[in-house]
């Protein structure tokens, strides 16, 4: 299908699943800074990933005030970065590297995420995606919601008909607001209204059939 001139990827739940490693990192930050906060686990994080960092902090660290929530989230992000840089686990979804490699021969590829600043470079480095991803944007850099960051990528790269691949209803809603078709990665973390989707995939390799 040649109607698209670019593919924008989400990260967590679409390219890889870091929740087990991130849970360890965040719990370390919690223990060292605010041990009265409940620990997180992989399932809890899967329910939060895709939201902006301030919303996650409010949801998970509600017993803290706003300033304390930000302090703890910043500490979590620091530990997360260290844990992810040092892990030897293969966290990417089966086939995603080969799919991105193949799609890059036909389309320019991009990443837009609600993550913190510094996270996307780790994603790209750990998964050897540097030569395939043309541009990225995230909440941690701009402070903007995902729909606005999608619009920035579209504008910066002069895209006329891009498509977004993500795994949550928040991704679908952002795409609707940005007027970009949405492909639901059903293997990820979220549940999505099927009426929100241009298409659905059960594994990364399904993208090759759609695109």
């Amino acid at each position: 299908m040649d109607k698209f001139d670019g593919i924008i990827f989400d990260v967590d739940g679409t390219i890889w699943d870091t929740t087990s490693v991130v849970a360890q990192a965040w719990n370390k930050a919690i223990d060292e800074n605010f041990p009265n906060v409940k620990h997180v686990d992989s399932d809890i994080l899967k329910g939060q990933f895709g939201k902006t960092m301030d919303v996650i902090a409010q949801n998970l660290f509600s017993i803290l005030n706003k300033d304390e929530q930000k302090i703890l989230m910043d500490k979590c992000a620091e530990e997360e970065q260290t844990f992810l840089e040092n892990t030897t686990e293969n966290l990417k979804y089966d086939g995603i590297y080969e799919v991105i490699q193949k799609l890059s021969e036909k389309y320019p590829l991009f990443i837009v995420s609600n993550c913190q600043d510094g996270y996307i470079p780790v994603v790209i480095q750990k998964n050897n995606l540097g030569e395939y991803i043309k541009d990225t944007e995230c909440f941690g850099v701009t402070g903007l919601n995902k729909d606005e960051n999608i619009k920035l990528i579209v504008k910066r790269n002069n895209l006329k008909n891009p498509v977004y691949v993500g795994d949550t209803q928040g991704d679908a809603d952002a795409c609707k607001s940005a007027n970009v078709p949405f492909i639901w990665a059903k293997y990820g973390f979220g549940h999505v209204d099927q009426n929100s989707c241009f298409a659905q995939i059960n594994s990364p390799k399904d993208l090759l059939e759609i695109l």
Side-chain angles (χ1 to χ4, degrees):
M1 190 172 295
D2 295 324
K3 64 180 291 187
F4 300 120
D5 62 354
I7 305 171
I8 309 171
F9 285 90
D10 177 45
V11 175
D12 297 302
T14 302
I15 291 176
W16 67 353
D17 177 1
T18 63
T19 53
S20 61
V21 174
V22 172
Q24 296 174 49
W26 285 26
N27 289 335
K28 182 174 185 289
I30 288 169
D31 289 343
E32 292 180 352
N33 295 277
F34 295 95
N36 54 324
V37 172
K38 290 183 178 179
H39 274 195
V40 299
D41 59 26
S42 183
D43 287 338
I44 289 172
L45 292 180
K46 285 179 181 178
Q48 296 298 317
F49 277 13
K51 301 178 174 68
T52 55
M53 304 307 291
D54 55 342
V55 172
I56 295 174
Q58 183 177 345
N59 290 345
L60 298 184
F61 313 145
S62 59
I63 66 170
L64 305 178
N65 63 43
K66 293 291 185 183
D67 290 339
E68 291 171 334
Q69 288 177 16
K70 185 179 187 310
I71 290 169
L72 181 52
M73 183 53 75
D74 288 345
K75 294 293 185 181
C76 286
E78 290 174 13
E79 291 292 349
E80 175 181 316
Q81 190 104 347
T82 300
F83 271 61
L84 288 174
E85 287 173 350
N86 292 332
T87 187
T88 58
E89 290 185 52
N90 176 14
L91 302 173
K92 64 181 179 292
Y93 288 108
D94 184 41
I96 190 68
Y97 175 82
E98 293 79 10
V99 167
I100 286 176
Q101 184 181 44
K102 188 71 175 176
L103 289 174
S104 73
E105 298 172 2
K106 188 176 180 182
Y107 304 95
L109 306 181
F110 311 93
I111 290 176
V112 172
S113 171
N114 277 333
C115 63
Q116 69 271 23
D117 187 15
Y119 185 71
I120 294 177
V122 174
V123 177
I124 290 173
Q125 187 268 325
K126 295 295 288 189
N127 295 294
N128 299 309
L129 301 178
E131 64 183 295
Y132 307 121
I133 303 300
K134 302 300 184 185
D135 196 5
T136 69
E137 200 54 270
C138 71
F139 171 80
V141 171
T142 66
L144 299 174
N145 289 326
K146 184 166 282 186
D147 58 339
E148 295 300 324
N149 285 325
I150 290 172
K151 291 175 185 177
L152 284 177
I153 287 288
V154 170
K155 183 176 181 180
R156 269 204 310 258
N157 295 279
N158 299 309
L159 302 177
K160 303 300 182 186
N161 298 293
V163 63
Y164 188 93
V165 184
D167 68 305
T168 68
Q169 187 62 49
D171 293 336
D173 294 342
C175 288
K176 182 177 180 180
S177 178
N179 197 29
V180 170
F182 173 68
I183 296 176
W184 176 23
K186 295 179 70 175
Y187 57 83
F189 302 158
H191 298 282
V192 175
D193 178 359
Q194 296 188 20
N195 294 324
S196 305
C197 309
F198 163 76
Q200 305 172 32
I201 57 173
N202 293 307
S203 75
K205 293 177 181 177
D206 292 345
L207 279 175
L208 299 178
E209 298 179 14
I210 298 171
L211 301 171

